[in-house]
Amino acid sequence: MTRTFDPTRQPEADFSLVQRQLSQGYDGHFLLVDSAVLHEKVRRFKEAMPRVHPHFAVKCNPDPGILAELYKAGAGFEIASPAELALCQAMGVPAAEVYYSNPMRAREAVEVAAKAGLQWFVIDSVSEMRKIVALKPDASFYLRLHTSNEGSVNPLSEKFGVFEEEVADMVREAVRLGADLAGATFHAGSQCLNPDNWRTGIEAAVQAFAQMRAAGLKPRLLNLGGGFPVEYASPVPTIKDIGLVINEALRAVPDEVRVMAEPGRYLVSDSTYLVCRVIGTTVRRGHPWAYLDAGLYNGLLETTTGITFNMASSRQGELVPWTIAGPTCDSLDICNRSQPLPHNLQEGDFIYVHNVGAYSNACSGHFNGFDLPKIMVV
Ligand SMILES: Cc1ncc(COP(=O)(O)O)c(C=O)c1O
């Protein structure tokens, strides 16, 4: 049965699915993924930007059940490693349709990808271009450009990207090697609240394309990266708002250029509840603390990167600010220092954390011997 969503609001995971799951008992923290939301997010993305093909960033959530739903909904994929490529292949996605968007790879990783038939590799250095050409002379390349990340919650411009003045060197080397340098990409920064970053990124790509064409290369791929935001505790630009900026900027991009993007967070975050439980409470210097059976290492890593999740509990009561900590002995494992929750919260109460589909299970570990979150896709 297809669910209808209010088009004026962010789609929300259906809480009755959580209740149904809990009615069967509780065996430790888990992620409950509402697949209808995954489909709705792919639909909204395409509706807002009809020219832009979404290729989900597998790193954001590599759960096979989630990937399968996104594939059914019409998304493609972008990978950072051979393990992620294998996940795509296991679903029957042809490797030639998968994009390798991690700009630095081990030689062995390139060999695995080339053998599988992957065609498109991102690069942002002459050395990586040479490495890949030596292993796969007919590879096609897209250039990661360094562009503005201003106004994004998690900037990603520190580690990768060629600066404007370095594009000429990359083009010259591609011509010298006979390499198919045929595209450009950038990343606006994750949870990007500034639609202008996509406009300036597209403008930078258009300039890079002109340099490629002048050197006899044939640009035909524009990859708008990820960064599309979701609403956590405060409002964000909608996908429609961002689409308007992008669609306008794309008017300068010729029709023969395929346009794609690599949304991660936008496609999966809202679909998922983290359900966990209070394992103990205390008061420290007059301030209440609650310790949960899940923390940074079990699904809530993003609380360390500026994301504030909404949390609700199974108990009713006047809301007061709590410090919320995970179950490990690590002082880093503190998720929020002023989370509104009922004053009478107690051991055993359930905590429902909204919008935890992105970088949750993907960034979890067994630190201190605690479990990874289980995932249920319904
Ligand atoms: C190359 C690349 N593409 C896409 C993404 C997805 O970004 P987001 O989840 O912000 O959409 C990332 C995230 O780190 C990335 O590194």
Side-chain angles (χ1 to χ4, degrees), residues 248-312:
E248 175 62 27
L250 287 178
R251 287 158 60 117
V253 178
D255 289 346
E256 70 266 19
V257 175
R258 178 180 201 266
V259 185
M260 59 172 277
E262 302 173 343
R265 180 188 307 284
Y266 177 78
L267 294 185
V268 294
S269 191
D270 331 43
S271 66
T272 304
Y273 272 102
L274 171 66
V275 180
C276 53
R277 203 146 71 162
V278 177
I279 56 171
T281 62
T282 190
V283 176
R284 301 195 189 283
R285 292 204 156 147
H287 185 76
W289 284 61
Y291 293 76
L292 310 182
D293 59 356
L296 296 195
Y297 300 98
N298 328 92
L300 293 173
L301 177 87
E302 281 224 304
T303 56
T304 59
T305 65
I307 302 291
T308 305
F309 293 105
N310 276 322
M311 296 187 185

Side-chain angles (χ1 to χ4, degrees), residues 72-124:
K72 266 194 257 167
F77 299 96
E78 168 269 318
I79 57 147
S81 64
E84 291 185 354
L85 175 58
L87 288 169
C88 298
Q89 289 180 288
M91 290 188 292
V93 183
E97 292 174 13
V98 175
Y99 292 76
Y100 204 147
S101 287
N102 185 346
M104 279 289 166
R105 292 140 286 223
R107 198 164 282 279
E108 295 75 17
V110 177
E111 282 166 352
V112 170
K115 196 161 167 233
L118 193 138
Q119 182 60 28
W120 286 93
F121 295 79
V122 78
I123 44 168
D124 70 350

Side-chain angles (χ1 to χ4, degrees), residues 130-149:
R130 289 182 189 147
K131 184 201 286 177
I132 297 174
V133 166
L135 296 166
K136 182 171 168 64
D138 68 341
S140 299
F141 295 108
Y142 46 114
L143 194 56
R144 169 90 173 244
L145 303 169
H146 186 280
T147 59
S148 168
N149 274 208

Side-chain angles (χ1 to χ4, degrees), residues 43-366:
R43 194 194 67 70
R44 287 188 185 193
F45 188 94
K46 290 181 166 187
E47 183 180 67
M49 291 166 275
R51 194 177 162 188
V52 184
H53 301 276
H55 283 254
F56 178 62
V58 175
K59 63 178 78 73
C60 184
N61 197 320
D63 177 71
I66 290 179
L67 298 180
E69 291 298 335
L70 291 173
Y71 192 36
K72 266 194 257 167
F77 299 96
E78 168 269 318
I79 57 147
S81 64
E84 291 185 354
L85 175 58
L87 288 169
C88 298
Q89 289 180 288
M91 290 188 292
V93 183
E97 292 174 13
V98 175
Y99 292 76
Y100 204 147
S101 287
N102 185 346
M104 279 289 166
R105 292 140 286 223
R107 198 164 282 279
E108 295 75 17
V110 177
E111 282 166 352
V112 170
K115 196 161 167 233
L118 193 138
Q119 182 60 28
W120 286 93
F121 295 79
V122 78
I123 44 168
D124 70 350
S125 66
V126 162
S127 59
E128 192 72 1
M129 186 179 348
R130 289 182 189 147
K131 184 201 286 177
I132 297 174
V133 166
L135 296 166
K136 182 171 168 64
D138 68 341
S140 299
F141 295 108
Y142 46 114
L143 194 56
R144 169 90 173 244
L145 303 169
H146 186 280
T147 59
S148 168
N149 274 208
E150 205 181 313
S152 68
V153 174
N154 297 332
L156 294 171
S157 52
E158 179 74 11
K159 198 169 166 188
F160 297 120
V162 292
F163 293 93
E164 199 180 338
E165 64 277 15
E166 295 162 346
V167 173
D169 288 344
M170 298 293 290
V171 168
R172 208 173 302 116
E173 185 65 3
V175 171
R176 193 186 74 75
L177 291 170
D180 182 28
L181 176 58
T185 189
F186 57 88
H187 200 299
S190 200
Q191 183 72 355
C192 178
L193 309 179
N194 176 11
D196 236 27
N197 284 357
W198 282 279
R199 188 181 55 73
T200 53
I202 293 168
E203 285 169 3
V206 167
Q207 281 181 20
F209 288 163
Q211 287 179 260
M212 290 177 197
R213 261 187 232 103
L217 300 172
K218 296 190 170 46
R220 57 188 187 280
L221 178 72
L222 171 57
N223 178 345
L224 308 180
F228 304 90
V230 297
E231 193 166 319
Y232 294 100
S234 42
V236 297
T238 66
I239 199 72
K240 259 193 186 160
D241 300 335
I242 295 172
L244 289 175
V245 174
I246 287 178
N247 295 338
E248 175 62 27
L250 287 178
R251 287 158 60 117
V253 178
D255 289 346
E256 70 266 19
V257 175
R258 178 180 201 266
V259 185
M260 59 172 277
E262 302 173 343
R265 180 188 307 284
Y266 177 78
L267 294 185
V268 294
S269 191
D270 331 43
S271 66
T272 304
Y273 272 102
L274 171 66
V275 180
C276 53
R277 203 146 71 162
V278 177
I279 56 171
T281 62
T282 190
V283 176
R284 301 195 189 283
R285 292 204 156 147
H287 185 76
W289 284 61
Y291 293 76
L292 310 182
D293 59 356
L296 296 195
Y297 300 98
N298 328 92
L300 293 173
L301 177 87
E302 281 224 304
T303 56
T304 59
T305 65
I307 302 291
T308 305
F309 293 105
N310 276 322
M311 296 187 185
S313 97
S314 52
R315 187 170 295 279
Q316 304 296 313
E318 187 199 340
L319 300 181
V320 299
W322 285 77
T323 292
I324 300 295
T328 68
C329 297
D330 187 352
S331 284
L332 257 188
D333 195 5
I334 295 173
C335 304
N336 193 326
R337 292 191 182 265
S338 58
Q339 173 65 53
L341 281 169
H343 68 100
N344 48 350
L345 200 66
Q346 284 175 24
E347 177 190 348
D349 288 352
F350 286 112
I351 300 291
Y352 313 113
V353 193
H354 297 238
N355 290 6
V356 199
Y359 308 105
S360 46
N361 46 303
C363 302
S364 294
H366 286 290

